[in-house]
């Protein structure tokens, strides 16, 4: 699309308000709509370090200064075609959109909620920070969008997760004071994304913004009520509209006096929030706005808040392990012997915990480390789907292949990322191997790009038979 089209079609009322907001910075802001958008990718820090990525990445990248593990790439690099992407080593995300999850200090062991999570740009970042511990509850009210979220969570190899499609009010009713950290990346008017998605500019109206503001004010109170004392909430939008930004934070601070804004590290190009838009509360300067003329990314707004209470989280009480029936124990041993055969002893850096195996109707799941009851609530995944039991044998799933990091299995056939057999296999083809490329002559193996597992296959006479499920094949 011709960039001048976006520039020419910006809604006049939006421009008037921006002029009033920005004063002398209005012209540079407007000019930024003539500049090309930036492309970014964010590493899956649970799978790969920046040093390792730098060593193997086969296309040019440049670090995004304010995002650890974030990189710019050029539009023509097509990183989604690279097997390293299919191995879940990075997520493609607009650079400014990486900022909210980077400001929420989720840490291993935390119980984290991403309330409006689809398609998973921020949930995957939070899940990587948890590194297989605690719990990431990734929710989106839209079931179709939650399916895309599930796919990205599985691609990232996250195992300690619940992916759900519940109404926020229902979650709020069930999980009062439960979470250590909550991300609320609210539905918004998307003014910050006009350059990227021109349709948003065409659909924009001040009335829509006001109606979204009402939804955001409800959502932020529900989110605050689900935080434990001492917990932290990150509110974000991709709009500049004060009624969806500072005004929502002011509403929260008025309605929930136990919530307080926290200052964040102001990286170069970050702009403070404006107290004028939220009842002149001085602390609104702790909010952050990203403008496309001041940072190499699109527009965003963020606020980090804390609920009064102790630093320390109350420790999560593990549900008492259920005694497995004889049938269950037999089924579990089929799974465990499969894992042993392939030399799988850990999942994404954590030792495999057999007590987290759960088998239901022949489907095998790896339960999250923290397991709240979900009875009566709608979800797509409770834990990671590991595979199926079929006639006394275990068939591994694609999410299981992706939950394995480098060197977490012995039966690995590793090829360089540029080897065309990797993409052929991901398209659903069988591939031929040369002598010495596979660690053993037959049976189940993981095909890997530079050591990072991509998919399972079965080796027979030098041919790796394809086991990539139809829905996971690349076209
Ligand atoms: N956090 C996501 C990411 O980084 O990939 C983007 C989330 S998007 C900005 C907002 C999400 O809120 C949408 O996926 C949408 O389905 C959901 N949503 C829309 N209306 C909602 C409502 N009334 N209550 C809760 N969620 C809503």
């Amino acid at each position: 699309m011709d960039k001048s089209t976006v520039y020419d079609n910006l809604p006049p009322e939006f421009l008037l308000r921006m002029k009033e907001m920005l004063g002398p910075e209005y012209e540079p802001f407007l000019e930024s709509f003539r500049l090309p958008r930036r492309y970014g990718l964010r590493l899956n820090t649970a799978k790969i370090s920046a040093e390792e990525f730098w060593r193997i990445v086969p296309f040019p990248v440049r670090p995004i200064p304010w995002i650890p593990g974030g990189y710019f790439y050029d539009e023509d690099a097509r990183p989604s075609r690279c097997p390293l992407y299919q191995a879940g080593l990075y997520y493609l995300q607009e650079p400014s959109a990486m900022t909210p999850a980077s400001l929420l200090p989720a840490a291993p062991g935390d119980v984290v909620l991403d309330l409006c999570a689809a398609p998973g740009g921020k949930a995957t970042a939070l899940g990587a920070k948890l590194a297989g511990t605690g719990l990431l509850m990734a929710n989106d009210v839209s079931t179709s969008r939650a399916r895309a979220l599930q796919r990205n969570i599985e691609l990232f190899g996250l195992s300690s997760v619940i992916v759900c499609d519940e109404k926020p009010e229902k979650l709020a009713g069930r999980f009062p004071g439960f979470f250590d950290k909550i991300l609320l990346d609210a539905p918004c008017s998307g003014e910050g994304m006009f350059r990227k998605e021109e349709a948003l500019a065409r659909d924009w109206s001040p009335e829509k913004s006001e109606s979204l503001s009402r939804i955001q004010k409800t959502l932020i109170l529900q989110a605050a009520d689900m935080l434990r004392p001492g917990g932290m909430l990150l509110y974000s939008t991709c709009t500049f509209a004060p009624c969806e930004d500072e005004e929502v934070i002011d509403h929260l601070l008025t309605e929930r006096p136990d919530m307080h804004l926290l200052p964040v590290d102001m990286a170069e190009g970050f702009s403070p929030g404006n107290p004028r838009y939220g009842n002149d509360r001085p602390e609104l300067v702790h909010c952050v706005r990203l403008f496309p003329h001041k940072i190499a990314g699109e527009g965003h707004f963020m606020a980090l808040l804390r609920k009064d209470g102790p630093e320390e989280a109350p420790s999560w009480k593990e549900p008492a392990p259920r005694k497995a029936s004889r049938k269950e124990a037999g089924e579990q041993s089929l799974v465990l012997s499969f894992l042993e055969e392939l030399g799988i002893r850990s999942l994404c850096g954590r030792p495999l915990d057999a007590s987290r195996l759960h088998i239901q109707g022949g489907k095998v799941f790896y339960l999250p480390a923290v397991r709240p009851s979900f009875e009566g609530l709608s979800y797509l995944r409770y834990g990671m789907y590991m595979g199926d039991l079929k006639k006394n044998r275990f068939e591994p799933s694609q999410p299981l292949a992706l939950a394995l990091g480098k060197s977490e299995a012995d039966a690995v056939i590793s090829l360089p990322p540029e080897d065309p057999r990797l993409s052929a296999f991901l398209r659903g083809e069988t591939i031929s191997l040369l002598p010495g490329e596979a660690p053993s002559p037959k049976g189940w193996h993981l095909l890997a790009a530079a050591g990072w597992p991509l998919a399972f296959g079965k080796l027979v006479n030098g041919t790796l038979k394809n086991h990539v499920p139809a829905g996971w094949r690349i076209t």
Side-chain angles (χ1 to χ4, degrees):
M1 186 190 45
D2 177 2
K3 292 286 175 287
S4 65
T5 321
V6 185
Y7 181 89
D8 294 339
N9 291 336
L10 292 168
E13 277 179 275
F14 162 73
L15 291 179
L16 256 177
R17 200 203 66 224
M18 292 311 295
K19 195 170 187 176
E20 194 271 330
M21 267 178 102
L22 287 165
E25 283 186 35
Y26 176 67
E27 282 306 323
F29 169 76
L30 205 52
E31 279 312 303
S32 73
F33 284 90
R34 291 191 193 276
L35 300 174
R37 57 166 288 204
R38 303 298 186 107
Y39 294 85
L41 65 84
R42 198 197 65 246
L43 295 189
N44 182 350
T45 49
K47 284 196 181 188
I48 190 165
S49 67
E51 293 73 31
E52 281 174 303
F53 178 68
W54 199 250
R55 219 176 44 239
I56 62 168
V57 59
F59 49 88
V61 292
R62 280 157 295 126
I64 299 176
W66 70 97
I67 303 288
Y71 295 87
F72 297 110
Y73 65 86
D74 298 330
E75 188 176 357
D76 54 11
R78 303 181 75 199
S80 65
R81 309 295 302 174
C82 177
L84 300 180
Y85 173 74
Q86 316 299 338
L89 297 192
Y90 51 80
Y91 188 93
L92 303 182
Q93 191 174 32
E94 187 284 304
S96 292
M98 297 178 189
T99 319
S102 81
L103 293 183
L104 183 63
D110 275 349
V111 177
V112 178
L113 170 68
D114 186 345
L115 189 56
C116 302
K122 299 166 188 91
T124 48
L126 295 172
K129 287 193 197 189
L130 298 184
T133 67
L135 172 68
L136 170 68
M137 194 184 287
N139 180 69
D140 202 278
V141 72
S142 150
T143 304
S144 58
R145 287 178 62 87
R147 282 197 197 102
L149 167 67
Q150 178 192 333
R151 166 58 64 104
N152 283 322
I153 285 198
E154 290 178 340
L155 186 58
F156 247 49
L158 304 179
S159 59
S160 211
V161 289
I162 298 173
V163 181
C164 45
D165 54 346
E166 255 310 345
K167 292 195 178 84
E169 61 265 31
K170 231 170 145 188
L171 293 179
R174 279 290 285 279
F175 298 109
F178 182 69
F179 296 97
D180 297 308
K181 311 274 157 62
I182 298 182
L183 186 98
L184 170 56
D185 186 35
C188 73
S189 55
E191 293 172 0
M193 296 293 148
F194 285 177
R195 182 167 66 172
K196 204 175 144 225
E197 287 176 53
E198 203 211 340
L200 288 168
R202 267 186 270 118
D203 291 347
W204 182 91
S205 75
E207 294 73 29
K208 271 196 184 151
S209 203
E210 285 297 340
S211 125
L212 282 159
S213 169
R214 285 190 288 277
I215 293 172
Q216 291 150 351
K217 285 174 183 168
T218 306
L219 288 172
I220 203 166
L221 296 188
Q222 289 164 341
D225 294 346
M226 284 189 272
L227 266 188
R228 70 156 169 91
M232 285 188 211
L233 166 68
L234 191 295
Y235 174 80
S236 61
T237 69
C238 56
T239 196
F240 309 113
C243 69
E244 300 180 58
D245 293 346
E246 284 92 339
E247 201 182 297
V248 175
I249 302 303
D250 171 54
H251 176 74
L252 170 71
L253 298 175
T254 307
E255 296 297 317
R256 299 290 184 271
D258 57 348
M259 295 292 297
H260 301 285
L261 272 165
L262 292 177
V264 299
D265 281 341
M266 297 296 274
E268 200 186 328
F270 283 23
S271 305
N274 191 336
R276 199 155 55 89
Y277 303 133
N279 265 327
D280 288 318
R281 280 182 185 274
E283 66 267 40
L284 286 169
V285 292
H286 294 325
C287 301
V288 179
R289 221 182 237 105
L290 305 183
F291 289 108
H293 63 290
K294 295 183 79 174
I295 204 151
E298 307 302 317
H300 247 81
F301 173 87
M302 283 147 281
L304 180 64
L305 299 122
R306 185 173 184 278
K307 190 183 254 190
D308 286 339
E311 289 274 313
E312 274 300 296
S315 61
W316 165 257
K317 290 197 185 37
E318 285 279 327
R322 240 174 3 103
K323 191 162 163 33
S325 69
R326 234 176 132 114
K327 179 168 171 270
E328 282 170 329
E331 290 178 334
Q332 280 193 7
S333 74
L334 286 175
V335 181
L336 292 172
S337 46
F338 173 91
L339 298 173
E340 205 178 300
E341 218 171 279
L342 273 75
I344 297 171
R345 288 168 292 274
S346 61
L347 289 176
C348 267
R350 296 274 145 188
L352 195 97
D353 177 357
S355 74
R356 282 169 64 178
L357 288 183
H358 176 67
I359 302 169
Q360 201 175 24
K363 292 210 167 300
V364 184
F365 294 92
Y366 194 63
L367 296 176
V370 170
R371 303 189 273 281
S373 160
F374 235 66
E375 222 177 297
L377 297 175
S378 178
Y379 63 92
L380 287 78
R381 281 278 181 265
Y382 192 101
M384 188 258 296
Y385 164 52
M386 294 181 83
D388 299 274
L389 285 175
K390 287 183 181 160
K391 294 191 197 134
N392 276 342
R393 58 190 165 76
F394 173 66
E395 294 249 338
S397 71
Q398 186 63 11
L400 176 59
L402 294 167
L404 294 163
K406 198 182 179 188
S407 315
E408 286 193 301
D410 295 337
V412 173
I413 299 162
S414 182
L415 302 176
E418 56 281 4
D419 191 312
R421 289 175 293 175
L422 294 176
S423 298
F425 198 76
L426 289 168
R427 284 196 299 271
E429 297 168 25
T430 57
I431 57 169
S432 297
L433 295 174
L434 301 172
E437 282 186 321
S440 54
K442 62 179 179 135
W444 283 108
H445 282 77
L446 281 148
L447 182 66
W452 279 272
L454 282 169
F456 283 102
K458 227 173 186 175
L459 188 59
V460 183
N461 295 330
T463 298
L464 192 65
K465 305 261 187 216
N466 205 289
H467 194 72
V468 181
W472 279 93
R473 291 182 186 167
I474 59 170
T475 45

